[in-house]
Amino acid sequence: MLFIADYGAGNLRSVQKAFDFLGVRAMVSSDPRKLAGCSKVVLPGVGAFGQAIETLNRSGFSEAILEHVDKGGQLLGICLGMQLLLSDSEEMGAYRGLNLVPGNVLHFRSETDKIPQIGWNSVDQQKESVLFRGVADHTFFYFVHSFYCQPEDGDSIAATTWFAGKNFCSAIEKNGIFAVQFHPEKSSDAGLQVLKNFAEC
């Protein structure tokens, strides 16, 4: 059973529908106690970092997710869910994240590119990652974001994408922790393959 965390900041149903389409049993729940019985957890997210991390902390999800990873469970962060895995964010102030992947969440700054990035962009694989099995390098995925992740350890970067003068980290793989800045549930067959790879790894 795959667990999708409902903490009030995600397009949960589209993620669940994608797993349903793949034939993967997925449970959406706002009760962090139910997370304990699952080997795989998905942390989706749309919205602001500060409000999201405060909700995670208040609801008990932060503690449950950290315990899940500590026990060897696998985790997939999607969009804002990816950013929450890092140490801190500068979005609307300074906020501490889950610190599962040391690094910072920074705002795109550009005089030429329209921010936020909304639409399809190329994902350039930086290492062999479970997430991209059966997915060609430089495949396009769907993005919606104004902030990007900058991990401290380059070895955790599974893929990068070019936008607003930055070759930013668009996917992470590190010791059972996976994350993507794009929306796989909105990225056609390639996105479904990413979700399938996580479910089967």
Side-chain angles (χ1 to χ4, degrees):
M1 174 67 74
L2 187 146
F3 184 95
I4 301 173
D6 178 4
Y7 61 105
N11 51 341
L12 307 174
R13 299 307 164 192
S14 57
V15 175
Q16 185 182 32
K17 283 182 179 179
F19 282 114
D20 286 345
F21 179 81
L22 293 168
V24 176
R25 291 179 64 215
M27 167 178 59
V28 174
S29 177
S30 58
D31 185 353
R33 293 171 297 183
K34 294 182 179 178
L35 186 154
C38 300
S39 61
K40 295 177 186 289
V41 172
V42 177
L43 182 66
V46 175
F49 188 103
Q51 183 180 2
I53 195 65
E54 287 175 354
T55 302
L56 283 180
N57 292 339
R58 186 172 58 250
S59 65
F61 263 122
S62 290
E63 184 179 352
I65 289 168
L66 292 173
E67 184 176 345
H68 170 78
V69 172
D70 188 57
K71 290 182 176 179
Q74 293 176 319
L75 174 66
L76 173 64
I78 296 175
C79 195
L80 176 60
M82 172 179 178
Q83 297 175 7
L84 292 167
L85 305 185
L86 273 72
S87 306
D88 54 61
S89 172
E90 65 178 13
E91 183 175 3
M92 298 172 67
Y95 291 93
R96 293 289 295 171
L98 294 173
N99 199 33
L100 287 167
V101 179
N104 313 108
V105 180
L106 306 172
H107 193 269
F108 283 118
R109 291 173 173 84
S110 175
E111 295 181 358
T112 56
D113 291 277
K114 187 177 180 181
I115 298 167
Q117 174 178 209
I118 301 176
W120 298 81
N121 203 344
S122 173
V123 171
D124 308 319
Q125 300 173 30
Q126 300 301 310
K127 65 178 182 179
E128 283 193 25
S129 170
V130 168
L131 290 179
F132 297 114
R133 287 177 181 166
V135 178
D137 198 6
H138 315 304
T139 292
F140 278 64
F141 290 85
Y142 189 79
F143 291 82
V144 182
H145 64 127
S146 300
F147 291 78
Y148 65 95
C149 294
Q150 185 172 281
E152 291 178 6
D153 180 9
D155 290 341
S156 65
I157 299 174
T160 58
T161 295
W162 182 264
F163 177 71
K166 293 283 184 184
N167 199 33
F168 71 92
C169 172
S170 53
I172 287 171
E173 179 176 337
K174 174 193 174 186
N175 301 330
I177 297 169
F178 303 90
V180 291
Q181 183 61 66
F182 54 84
H183 285 276
E185 76 282 4
K186 297 179 180 179
S187 296
S188 192
D189 291 346
L192 289 173
Q193 185 64 48
V194 168
L195 294 178
K196 183 172 185 285
N197 289 341
F198 173 71
E200 293 180 350
C201 71

